Amino acid sequence: MFENMKKLIKFYEEVLSMPHRQEIARELRNEDDLFMLLLYSEMIGIPNPVYYYTLELYPHMIEEFHDWHLRMGMDKSPLNGIRCC
């Protein structure tokens, strides 16, 4: 009985989230792009007051940056300071 209730609840959640799945994915991608902009803003000339702290994230974000510039249609990295390819 309890397992059937869990399946019913899971099915109900799937039905509710189905029409919004693409919208949620797009919103998450936009948030990631904004975070990338904040992280690399100093390299494109936008002053970043927390540049010192975001510097520590570069090694962890190189792979995501590479995926981002390929998704944007750029074969090579658009920033000179980052060599991901």
Side-chain angles (χ1 to χ4, degrees):
M1 177 76 175
F2 187 67
E3 291 297 319
N4 288 336
M5 285 297 287
K6 285 174 101 177
K7 288 180 183 176
L8 182 65
I9 289 172
K10 187 175 179 179
F11 176 74
Y12 180 71
E13 289 176 353
E14 285 286 325
V15 168
L16 287 179
S17 67
M18 191 178 305
H20 304 289
R21 187 168 290 155
Q22 189 174 20
E23 186 176 325
I24 290 170
R26 185 181 315 121
E27 190 64 34
L28 287 174
R29 193 174 49 233
N30 287 342
E31 286 182 10
D32 285 345
D33 288 347
L34 179 63
F35 182 72
M36 296 287 278
L37 175 66
L38 290 173
L39 187 65
Y40 297 109
S41 64
E42 193 75 29
M43 291 183 176
I44 58 175
I46 300 172
N48 184 359
V50 292
Y51 179 71
Y52 178 76
Y53 299 107
T54 59
L55 194 61
E56 295 179 5
L57 296 174
Y58 286 161
H60 304 288
M61 298 299 292
I62 289 291
E63 197 166 311
E64 289 188 31
F65 180 78
H66 179 72
D67 293 339
W68 174 80
H69 76 74
L70 288 179
R71 186 166 42 98
M72 292 296 146
M74 297 177 254
D75 293 334
K76 300 285 182 180
S77 172
L79 301 176
N80 292 335
I82 299 174
R83 296 183 181 167
C84 60
C85 305

